Amino acid sequence: MPGASTSAAVLDSGSRERTRVLLLFSLTGRMRPRDTALGALVDRYDYGRFASHLLTSQDVLPVPVLDEHVAPGRLRLPHGDHGLGLASLRILVVTTPRGDATLVLDCVFAGETSAGDLAAWLATTCFDRERIELDDRPLLHALAAPLGGRTPALGQNVHQLVFPGGRLQRELLGADAARRAVLLNEIVYRGRMPWNPAAPHDTSLAPHPRNHGLTLSALGRGVSVQTGWAPHVENGLALVAIGMISALAVLQRTRLAAFAMMKANERTPADSPTEIRSLISRLSAGVNELQLDLAFGVEAYVDSLLIPEMITEAFQSSLGEALGIRDSLENSARMVERLTSVISARSAALDAALAERDDRRDRTVSGLVAAATLIALPPTLLLAFFGVNGTNVDEHRSILDLRAYGTAYALAWLPFVALVLTGWILLRRVRAGSGRLLPAPDDDLAPVPPPRAPSRSPRP
């Protein structure tokens, strides 16, 4: 099938006159998508033959909440533009259905770009991104008004997609392997890690280039170089990178939230059922949110279901491996599962403690009722004493005359007073004996045994 392969390559490949760079910055906090005139993300860019896949999956795709074409001269970098003027600048803010936002700067350079100047430009826009300005104002402050008055903050995650054009594209595609490795290493590592051909090959640091003749792909954790692709493929790769950066931000937020819930579980007082039930309710609601984040904020963007094409799938797999998303997802999922187990165990312990306390209280009340039944006999006898015409009862004296009948009243009511005091004391002991409904966490660390010396096998 050589003809079909060549046709597919021509369909998805193309030459670019000017270098294009997409800067992807994760934003902190939540920015819930709202109904705007911008429509879906699939309507903002040309995705070519990928559009049908995106139309099917648009409900889980990021939604644009800001899309502006900005005059290139309005963007100012802290250390200058390194001789690379922009021909066009497009600023987008997209947010997932879960509210995780990403800032996208779509930059096209006006002239030729060398690998060294491009590496310096990438380093500035990455490491000094908080100092990027728009109209002499910090970039995010300038975007606050279009975003409804809210000033977002930059997160920890950055990825820069480089689509070389002009002379740089021809040099990357036509250079020999050694020269290509030097250029890719300088761009991918932003000029911070010089490549030495004589040094031992380290697969963990290599840009992993894939040269298909007409196209070339190389990526690191922070920078991806994709050259020779048609515009619709570039846009598809950018969409994949946006999903991966958003997923990485969700994983980091999930990890921090799990630790916060663990601390709340340890530090919240556990002296009353109301406090414990409130704690369990808050922790359960938090775990539910974490599970939704992992499912719809991470898992939805780390497989090839959105764009089931070999080109995007290969890039997604390589980028996910570079970012370590799958391992982080598995670890975060285990943390949430164990947190769920802790909440279930705490709820079971509360039920057991409450059942024990209720049982002790019921036994005490039953004993008091039985004692009251027995002690009711003296008052009955006292009433019978006043009801008969005995010699000790004077019809001219009131039955409330304590001087005459004080002894009879004392014999009748002192047992009741003793019963009330005894019951009150016993009920207090039931409450005090329960103590904390749940035991406090044990802060004492278990002793760690010293390492055993390696056993020596007897000499032959």
PDB file of all heavy atoms in Angstrom, residues 152-187:
ATOM      1  N   PRO A 152      -6.826  36.029  36.928  1.00  0.00           N
ATOM      2  CA  PRO A 152      -6.329  34.676  37.216  1.00  0.00           C
ATOM      3  C   PRO A 152      -4.853  34.716  37.603  1.00  0.00           C
ATOM      4  O   PRO A 152      -4.180  35.746  37.481  1.00  0.00           O
ATOM      5  CB  PRO A 152      -6.544  33.936  35.896  1.00  0.00           C
ATOM      6  CG  PRO A 152      -6.455  35.008  34.856  1.00  0.00           C
ATOM      7  CD  PRO A 152      -6.998  36.264  35.484  1.00  0.00           C
ATOM      8  N   ALA A 153      -4.357  33.595  38.054  1.00  0.00           N
ATOM      9  CA  ALA A 153      -2.943  33.462  38.415  1.00  0.00           C
ATOM     10  C   ALA A 153      -2.343  32.289  37.653  1.00  0.00           C
ATOM     11  O   ALA A 153      -3.028  31.300  37.369  1.00  0.00           O
ATOM     12  CB  ALA A 153      -2.789  33.239  39.923  1.00  0.00           C
ATOM     13  N   LEU A 154      -1.063  32.427  37.320  1.00  0.00           N
ATOM     14  CA  LEU A 154      -0.381  31.369  36.588  1.00  0.00           C
ATOM     15  C   LEU A 154      -0.131  30.171  37.491  1.00  0.00           C
ATOM     16  O   LEU A 154       0.217  30.324  38.668  1.00  0.00           O
ATOM     17  CB  LEU A 154       0.938  31.883  36.025  1.00  0.00           C
ATOM     18  CG  LEU A 154       0.842  32.908  34.885  1.00  0.00           C
ATOM     19  CD1 LEU A 154       2.224  33.454  34.558  1.00  0.00           C
ATOM     20  CD2 LEU A 154       0.225  32.282  33.645  1.00  0.00           C
ATOM     21  N   GLY A 155      -0.300  28.987  36.932  1.00  0.00           N
ATOM     22  CA  GLY A 155       0.014  27.768  37.658  1.00  0.00           C
ATOM     23  C   GLY A 155       1.454  27.349  37.451  1.00  0.00           C
ATOM     24  O   GLY A 155       2.301  28.115  36.963  1.00  0.00           O
ATOM     25  N   GLN A 156       1.749  26.107  37.790  1.00  0.00           N
ATOM     26  CA  GLN A 156       3.113  25.598  37.715  1.00  0.00           C
ATOM     27  C   GLN A 156       3.458  24.968  36.377  1.00  0.00           C
ATOM     28  O   GLN A 156       4.635  24.725  36.103  1.00  0.00           O
ATOM     29  CB  GLN A 156       3.338  24.557  38.823  1.00  0.00           C
ATOM     30  CG  GLN A 156       3.210  25.125  40.225  1.00  0.00           C
ATOM     31  CD  GLN A 156       4.285  26.143  40.534  1.00  0.00           C
ATOM     32  OE1 GLN A 156       5.438  25.984  40.161  1.00  0.00           O
ATOM     33  NE2 GLN A 156       3.895  27.217  41.203  1.00  0.00           N
ATOM     34  N   ASN A 157       2.477  24.711  35.538  1.00  0.00           N
ATOM     35  CA  ASN A 157       2.708  23.901  34.351  1.00  0.00           C
ATOM     36  C   ASN A 157       2.789  24.765  33.098  1.00  0.00           C
ATOM     37  O   ASN A 157       1.941  25.635  32.866  1.00  0.00           O
ATOM     38  CB  ASN A 157       1.583  22.870  34.204  1.00  0.00           C
ATOM     39  CG  ASN A 157       1.461  22.000  35.436  1.00  0.00           C
ATOM     40  OD1 ASN A 157       2.359  21.228  35.743  1.00  0.00           O
ATOM     41  ND2 ASN A 157       0.363  22.133  36.158  1.00  0.00           N
ATOM     42  N   VAL A 158       3.822  24.490  32.305  1.00  0.00           N
ATOM     43  CA  VAL A 158       4.078  25.219  31.066  1.00  0.00           C
ATOM     44  C   VAL A 158       4.465  24.210  30.000  1.00  0.00           C
ATOM     45  O   VAL A 158       5.218  23.266  30.265  1.00  0.00           O
ATOM     46  CB  VAL A 158       5.213  26.259  31.234  1.00  0.00           C
ATOM     47  CG1 VAL A 158       5.467  26.976  29.913  1.00  0.00           C
ATOM     48  CG2 VAL A 158       4.894  27.247  32.329  1.00  0.00           C
ATOM     49  N   HIS A 159       3.942  24.407  28.804  1.00  0.00           N
ATOM     50  CA  HIS A 159       4.433  23.645  27.656  1.00  0.00           C
ATOM     51  C   HIS A 159       4.450  24.566  26.452  1.00  0.00           C
ATOM     52  O   HIS A 159       3.516  25.352  26.242  1.00  0.00           O
ATOM     53  CB  HIS A 159       3.579  22.420  27.368  1.00  0.00           C
ATOM     54  CG  HIS A 159       4.256  21.441  26.451  1.00  0.00           C
ATOM     55  ND1 HIS A 159       5.245  20.584  26.888  1.00  0.00           N
ATOM     56  CD2 HIS A 159       4.115  21.205  25.130  1.00  0.00           C
ATOM     57  CE1 HIS A 159       5.676  19.848  25.882  1.00  0.00           C
ATOM     58  NE2 HIS A 159       5.008  20.214  24.794  1.00  0.00           N
ATOM     59  N   GLN A 160       5.522  24.456  25.672  1.00  0.00           N
ATOM     60  CA  GLN A 160       5.715  25.322  24.516  1.00  0.00           C
ATOM     61  C   GLN A 160       5.816  24.457  23.266  1.00  0.00           C
ATOM     62  O   GLN A 160       6.718  23.636  23.143  1.00  0.00           O
ATOM     63  CB  GLN A 160       6.976  26.168  24.703  1.00  0.00           C
ATOM     64  CG  GLN A 160       6.892  27.091  25.925  1.00  0.00           C
ATOM     65  CD  GLN A 160       8.234  27.685  26.312  1.00  0.00           C
ATOM     66  OE1 GLN A 160       9.238  26.978  26.387  1.00  0.00           O
ATOM     67  NE2 GLN A 160       8.259  28.981  26.569  1.00  0.00           N
ATOM     68  N   LEU A 161       4.868  24.672  22.366  1.00  0.00           N
ATOM     69  CA  LEU A 161       4.828  23.935  21.108  1.00  0.00           C
ATOM     70  C   LEU A 161       5.502  24.781  20.023  1.00  0.00           C
ATOM     71  O   LEU A 161       5.071  25.906  19.750  1.00  0.00           O
ATOM     72  CB  LEU A 161       3.386  23.645  20.712  1.00  0.00           C
ATOM     73  CG  LEU A 161       2.744  22.393  21.311  1.00  0.00           C
ATOM     74  CD1 LEU A 161       1.256  22.404  21.041  1.00  0.00           C
ATOM     75  CD2 LEU A 161       3.363  21.135  20.747  1.00  0.00           C
ATOM     76  N   VAL A 162       6.542  24.254  19.410  1.00  0.00           N
ATOM     77  CA  VAL A 162       7.312  24.968  18.394  1.00  0.00           C
ATOM     78  C   VAL A 162       7.063  24.304  17.042  1.00  0.00           C
ATOM     79  O   VAL A 162       7.307  23.101  16.881  1.00  0.00           O
ATOM     80  CB  VAL A 162       8.819  24.977  18.729  1.00  0.00           C
ATOM     81  CG1 VAL A 162       9.604  25.709  17.651  1.00  0.00           C
ATOM     82  CG2 VAL A 162       9.055  25.596  20.099  1.00  0.00           C
ATOM     83  N   PHE A 163       6.607  25.110  16.089  1.00  0.00           N
ATOM     84  CA  PHE A 163       6.423  24.653  14.707  1.00  0.00           C
ATOM     85  C   PHE A 163       7.371  25.469  13.817  1.00  0.00           C
ATOM     86  O   PHE A 163       7.010  26.564  13.364  1.00  0.00           O
ATOM     87  CB  PHE A 163       4.970  24.843  14.253  1.00  0.00           C
ATOM     88  CG  PHE A 163       3.971  24.146  15.136  1.00  0.00           C
ATOM     89  CD1 PHE A 163       3.163  24.865  16.004  1.00  0.00           C
ATOM     90  CD2 PHE A 163       3.845  22.764  15.108  1.00  0.00           C
ATOM     91  CE1 PHE A 163       2.248  24.228  16.812  1.00  0.00           C
ATOM     92  CE2 PHE A 163       2.930  22.115  15.915  1.00  0.00           C
ATOM     93  CZ  PHE A 163       2.128  22.842  16.776  1.00  0.00           C
ATOM     94  N   PRO A 164       8.601  24.980  13.616  1.00  0.00           N
ATOM     95  CA  PRO A 164       9.591  25.765  12.868  1.00  0.00           C
ATOM     96  C   PRO A 164       9.140  26.030  11.428  1.00  0.00           C
ATOM     97  O   PRO A 164       8.453  25.214  10.804  1.00  0.00           O
ATOM     98  CB  PRO A 164      10.844  24.889  12.902  1.00  0.00           C
ATOM     99  CG  PRO A 164      10.636  23.959  14.054  1.00  0.00           C
ATOM    100  CD  PRO A 164       9.157  23.723  14.101  1.00  0.00           C
ATOM    101  N   GLY A 165       9.551  27.172  10.933  1.00  0.00           N
ATOM    102  CA  GLY A 165       9.245  27.531   9.561  1.00  0.00           C
ATOM    103  C   GLY A 165      10.448  28.147   8.880  1.00  0.00           C
ATOM    104  O   GLY A 165      11.471  28.454   9.501  1.00  0.00           O
ATOM    105  N   GLY A 166      10.352  28.341   7.581  1.00  0.00           N
ATOM    106  CA  GLY A 166      11.411  28.992   6.825  1.00  0.00           C
ATOM    107  C   GLY A 166      12.709  28.220   6.857  1.00  0.00           C
ATOM    108  O   GLY A 166      12.747  26.988   6.726  1.00  0.00           O
ATOM    109  N   ARG A 167      13.800  28.952   7.048  1.00  0.00           N
ATOM    110  CA  ARG A 167      15.127  28.354   7.016  1.00  0.00           C
ATOM    111  C   ARG A 167      15.315  27.338   8.133  1.00  0.00           C
ATOM    112  O   ARG A 167      15.970  26.306   7.951  1.00  0.00           O
ATOM    113  CB  ARG A 167      16.191  29.453   7.122  1.00  0.00           C
ATOM    114  CG  ARG A 167      17.625  28.916   6.970  1.00  0.00           C
ATOM    115  CD  ARG A 167      18.647  30.034   6.898  1.00  0.00           C
ATOM    116  NE  ARG A 167      18.660  30.839   8.113  1.00  0.00           N
ATOM    117  CZ  ARG A 167      18.305  32.128   8.155  1.00  0.00           C
ATOM    118  NH1 ARG A 167      17.880  32.736   7.059  1.00  0.00           N
ATOM    119  NH2 ARG A 167      18.359  32.806   9.285  1.00  0.00           N
ATOM    120  N   LEU A 168      14.741  27.595   9.316  1.00  0.00           N
ATOM    121  CA  LEU A 168      14.883  26.658  10.436  1.00  0.00           C
ATOM    122  C   LEU A 168      14.220  25.326  10.109  1.00  0.00           C
ATOM    123  O   LEU A 168      14.752  24.261  10.431  1.00  0.00           O
ATOM    124  CB  LEU A 168      14.288  27.262  11.706  1.00  0.00           C
ATOM    125  CG  LEU A 168      14.400  26.419  12.976  1.00  0.00           C
ATOM    126  CD1 LEU A 168      15.860  26.107  13.294  1.00  0.00           C
ATOM    127  CD2 LEU A 168      13.740  27.126  14.162  1.00  0.00           C
ATOM    128  N   GLN A 169      13.075  25.345   9.462  1.00  0.00           N
ATOM    129  CA  GLN A 169      12.418  24.104   9.076  1.00  0.00           C
ATOM    130  C   GLN A 169      13.258  23.333   8.066  1.00  0.00           C
ATOM    131  O   GLN A 169      13.446  22.108   8.202  1.00  0.00           O
ATOM    132  CB  GLN A 169      11.033  24.388   8.492  1.00  0.00           C
ATOM    133  CG  GLN A 169      10.297  23.124   8.055  1.00  0.00           C
ATOM    134  CD  GLN A 169       8.980  23.432   7.374  1.00  0.00           C
ATOM    135  OE1 GLN A 169       8.750  24.557   6.931  1.00  0.00           O
ATOM    136  NE2 GLN A 169       8.116  22.446   7.270  1.00  0.00           N
ATOM    137  N   ARG A 170      13.762  24.021   7.071  1.00  0.00           N
ATOM    138  CA  ARG A 170      14.577  23.340   6.060  1.00  0.00           C
ATOM    139  C   ARG A 170      15.852  22.782   6.676  1.00  0.00           C
ATOM    140  O   ARG A 170      16.309  21.682   6.303  1.00  0.00           O
ATOM    141  CB  ARG A 170      14.903  24.320   4.927  1.00  0.00           C
ATOM    142  CG  ARG A 170      13.675  24.766   4.138  1.00  0.00           C
ATOM    143  CD  ARG A 170      14.084  25.540   2.889  1.00  0.00           C
ATOM    144  NE  ARG A 170      14.769  26.784   3.232  1.00  0.00           N
ATOM    145  CZ  ARG A 170      14.158  27.954   3.428  1.00  0.00           C
ATOM    146  NH1 ARG A 170      12.835  28.043   3.343  1.00  0.00           N
ATOM    147  NH2 ARG A 170      14.852  29.037   3.697  1.00  0.00           N
ATOM    148  N   GLU A 171      16.411  23.499   7.636  1.00  0.00           N
ATOM    149  CA  GLU A 171      17.645  23.034   8.271  1.00  0.00           C
ATOM    150  C   GLU A 171      17.389  21.787   9.112  1.00  0.00           C
ATOM    151  O   GLU A 171      18.194  20.848   9.108  1.00  0.00           O
ATOM    152  CB  GLU A 171      18.232  24.145   9.128  1.00  0.00           C
ATOM    153  CG  GLU A 171      19.657  23.880   9.623  1.00  0.00           C
ATOM    154  CD  GLU A 171      20.252  25.074  10.329  1.00  0.00           C
ATOM    155  OE1 GLU A 171      19.531  26.069  10.543  1.00  0.00           O
ATOM    156  OE2 GLU A 171      21.448  25.024  10.682  1.00  0.00           O
ATOM    157  N   LEU A 172      16.277  21.769   9.815  1.00  0.00           N
ATOM    158  CA  LEU A 172      15.970  20.604  10.644  1.00  0.00           C
ATOM    159  C   LEU A 172      15.674  19.369   9.799  1.00  0.00           C
ATOM    160  O   LEU A 172      16.087  18.253  10.142  1.00  0.00           O
ATOM    161  CB  LEU A 172      14.771  20.904  11.551  1.00  0.00           C
ATOM    162  CG  LEU A 172      15.032  21.822  12.749  1.00  0.00           C
ATOM    163  CD1 LEU A 172      13.727  22.196  13.424  1.00  0.00           C
ATOM    164  CD2 LEU A 172      15.969  21.150  13.750  1.00  0.00           C
ATOM    165  N   LEU A 173      14.962  19.562   8.697  1.00  0.00           N
ATOM    166  CA  LEU A 173      14.604  18.421   7.865  1.00  0.00           C
ATOM    167  C   LEU A 173      15.744  17.954   6.981  1.00  0.00           C
ATOM    168  O   LEU A 173      15.809  16.770   6.614  1.00  0.00           O
ATOM    169  CB  LEU A 173      13.389  18.768   6.996  1.00  0.00           C
ATOM    170  CG  LEU A 173      12.064  18.987   7.737  1.00  0.00           C
ATOM    171  CD1 LEU A 173      10.974  19.397   6.766  1.00  0.00           C
ATOM    172  CD2 LEU A 173      11.656  17.740   8.505  1.00  0.00           C
ATOM    173  N   GLY A 174      16.667  18.862   6.618  1.00  0.00           N
ATOM    174  CA  GLY A 174      17.722  18.494   5.686  1.00  0.00           C
ATOM    175  C   GLY A 174      19.076  18.273   6.305  1.00  0.00           C
ATOM    176  O   GLY A 174      19.982  17.778   5.622  1.00  0.00           O
ATOM    177  N   ALA A 175      19.258  18.613   7.582  1.00  0.00           N
ATOM    178  CA  ALA A 175      20.574  18.484   8.204  1.00  0.00           C
ATOM    179  C   ALA A 175      20.880  17.025   8.508  1.00  0.00           C
ATOM    180  O   ALA A 175      19.979  16.169   8.570  1.00  0.00           O
ATOM    181  CB  ALA A 175      20.638  19.312   9.478  1.00  0.00           C
ATOM    182  N   ASP A 176      22.173  16.742   8.707  1.00  0.00           N
ATOM    183  CA  ASP A 176      22.559  15.397   9.109  1.00  0.00           C
ATOM    184  C   ASP A 176      22.166  15.167  10.559  1.00  0.00           C
ATOM    185  O   ASP A 176      21.741  16.084  11.269  1.00  0.00           O
ATOM    186  CB  ASP A 176      24.058  15.184   8.899  1.00  0.00           C
ATOM    187  CG  ASP A 176      24.904  16.214   9.629  1.00  0.00           C
ATOM    188  OD1 ASP A 176      24.628  16.467  10.823  1.00  0.00           O
ATOM    189  OD2 ASP A 176      25.829  16.789   9.019  1.00  0.00           O
ATOM    190  N   ALA A 177      22.292  13.935  11.024  1.00  0.00           N
ATOM    191  CA  ALA A 177      21.806  13.559  12.356  1.00  0.00           C
ATOM    192  C   ALA A 177      22.500  14.350  13.457  1.00  0.00           C
ATOM    193  O   ALA A 177      21.862  14.787  14.421  1.00  0.00           O
ATOM    194  CB  ALA A 177      21.995  12.058  12.582  1.00  0.00           C
ATOM    195  N   ALA A 178      23.829  14.567  13.323  1.00  0.00           N
ATOM    196  CA  ALA A 178      24.558  15.276  14.377  1.00  0.00           C
ATOM    197  C   ALA A 178      24.118  16.729  14.466  1.00  0.00           C
ATOM    198  O   ALA A 178      23.859  17.253  15.562  1.00  0.00           O
ATOM    199  CB  ALA A 178      26.063  15.185  14.118  1.00  0.00           C
ATOM    200  N   ARG A 179      24.016  17.383  13.324  1.00  0.00           N
ATOM    201  CA  ARG A 179      23.588  18.787  13.330  1.00  0.00           C
ATOM    202  C   ARG A 179      22.155  18.910  13.817  1.00  0.00           C
ATOM    203  O   ARG A 179      21.818  19.822  14.578  1.00  0.00           O
ATOM    204  CB  ARG A 179      23.726  19.357  11.911  1.00  0.00           C
ATOM    205  CG  ARG A 179      23.209  20.782  11.742  1.00  0.00           C
ATOM    206  CD  ARG A 179      23.926  21.749  12.643  1.00  0.00           C
ATOM    207  NE  ARG A 179      23.419  23.108  12.470  1.00  0.00           N
ATOM    208  CZ  ARG A 179      23.677  24.100  13.310  1.00  0.00           C
ATOM    209  NH1 ARG A 179      24.431  23.891  14.402  1.00  0.00           N
ATOM    210  NH2 ARG A 179      23.199  25.311  13.079  1.00  0.00           N
ATOM    211  N   ARG A 180      21.285  18.009  13.405  1.00  0.00           N
ATOM    212  CA  ARG A 180      19.898  18.045  13.847  1.00  0.00           C
ATOM    213  C   ARG A 180      19.808  17.860  15.361  1.00  0.00           C
ATOM    214  O   ARG A 180      19.005  18.526  16.035  1.00  0.00           O
ATOM    215  CB  ARG A 180      19.091  16.962  13.137  1.00  0.00           C
ATOM    216  CG  ARG A 180      17.608  16.992  13.482  1.00  0.00           C
ATOM    217  CD  ARG A 180      16.852  15.833  12.844  1.00  0.00           C
ATOM    218  NE  ARG A 180      16.979  15.857  11.400  1.00  0.00           N
ATOM    219  CZ  ARG A 180      17.606  14.936  10.689  1.00  0.00           C
ATOM    220  NH1 ARG A 180      18.187  13.902  11.315  1.00  0.00           N
ATOM    221  NH2 ARG A 180      17.675  15.026   9.373  1.00  0.00           N
ATOM    222  N   ALA A 181      20.626  16.974  15.913  1.00  0.00           N
ATOM    223  CA  ALA A 181      20.606  16.750  17.358  1.00  0.00           C
ATOM    224  C   ALA A 181      21.011  18.009  18.113  1.00  0.00           C
ATOM    225  O   ALA A 181      20.443  18.334  19.162  1.00  0.00           O
ATOM    226  CB  ALA A 181      21.526  15.590  17.719  1.00  0.00           C
ATOM    227  N   VAL A 182      22.000  18.744  17.585  1.00  0.00           N
ATOM    228  CA  VAL A 182      22.429  19.977  18.241  1.00  0.00           C
ATOM    229  C   VAL A 182      21.291  20.994  18.241  1.00  0.00           C
ATOM    230  O   VAL A 182      21.000  21.639  19.263  1.00  0.00           O
ATOM    231  CB  VAL A 182      23.685  20.545  17.546  1.00  0.00           C
ATOM    232  CG1 VAL A 182      24.018  21.923  18.096  1.00  0.00           C
ATOM    233  CG2 VAL A 182      24.857  19.607  17.729  1.00  0.00           C
ATOM    234  N   LEU A 183      20.628  21.173  17.096  1.00  0.00           N
ATOM    235  CA  LEU A 183      19.551  22.147  16.996  1.00  0.00           C
ATOM    236  C   LEU A 183      18.376  21.776  17.892  1.00  0.00           C
ATOM    237  O   LEU A 183      17.834  22.623  18.622  1.00  0.00           O
ATOM    238  CB  LEU A 183      19.082  22.246  15.538  1.00  0.00           C
ATOM    239  CG  LEU A 183      20.103  22.807  14.530  1.00  0.00           C
ATOM    240  CD1 LEU A 183      19.539  22.706  13.117  1.00  0.00           C
ATOM    241  CD2 LEU A 183      20.455  24.242  14.866  1.00  0.00           C
ATOM    242  N   LEU A 184      17.966  20.512  17.857  1.00  0.00           N
ATOM    243  CA  LEU A 184      16.831  20.085  18.670  1.00  0.00           C
ATOM    244  C   LEU A 184      17.127  20.188  20.150  1.00  0.00           C
ATOM    245  O   LEU A 184      16.269  20.608  20.946  1.00  0.00           O
ATOM    246  CB  LEU A 184      16.440  18.650  18.305  1.00  0.00           C
ATOM    247  CG  LEU A 184      15.801  18.443  16.932  1.00  0.00           C
ATOM    248  CD1 LEU A 184      15.553  16.963  16.687  1.00  0.00           C
ATOM    249  CD2 LEU A 184      14.504  19.228  16.813  1.00  0.00           C
ATOM    250  N   ASN A 185      18.333  19.816  20.552  1.00  0.00           N
ATOM    251  CA  ASN A 185      18.696  19.888  21.959  1.00  0.00           C
ATOM    252  C   ASN A 185      18.651  21.331  22.453  1.00  0.00           C
ATOM    253  O   ASN A 185      18.182  21.611  23.565  1.00  0.00           O
ATOM    254  CB  ASN A 185      20.088  19.305  22.164  1.00  0.00           C
ATOM    255  CG  ASN A 185      20.414  19.108  23.629  1.00  0.00           C
ATOM    256  OD1 ASN A 185      20.097  18.082  24.211  1.00  0.00           O
ATOM    257  ND2 ASN A 185      21.044  20.103  24.231  1.00  0.00           N
ATOM    258  N   GLU A 186      19.105  22.268  21.610  1.00  0.00           N
ATOM    259  CA  GLU A 186      19.113  23.669  22.020  1.00  0.00           C
ATOM    260  C   GLU A 186      17.690  24.208  22.168  1.00  0.00           C
ATOM    261  O   GLU A 186      17.391  24.942  23.112  1.00  0.00           O
ATOM    262  CB  GLU A 186      19.886  24.506  21.003  1.00  0.00           C
ATOM    263  CG  GLU A 186      20.080  25.954  21.425  1.00  0.00           C
ATOM    264  CD  GLU A 186      21.076  26.685  20.557  1.00  0.00           C
ATOM    265  OE1 GLU A 186      21.392  26.183  19.455  1.00  0.00           O
ATOM    266  OE2 GLU A 186      21.540  27.761  20.982  1.00  0.00           O
ATOM    267  N   ILE A 187      16.796  23.829  21.252  1.00  0.00           N
ATOM    268  CA  ILE A 187      15.419  24.324  21.327  1.00  0.00           C
ATOM    269  C   ILE A 187      14.647  23.653  22.446  1.00  0.00           C
ATOM    270  O   ILE A 187      13.981  24.322  23.252  1.00  0.00           O
ATOM    271  CB  ILE A 187      14.714  24.102  19.976  1.00  0.00           C
ATOM    272  CG1 ILE A 187      15.397  24.915  18.867  1.00  0.00           C
ATOM    273  CG2 ILE A 187      13.249  24.508  20.074  1.00  0.00           C
ATOM    274  CD1 ILE A 187      14.852  24.627  17.484  1.00  0.00           C
TER     275      ILE A 187
END
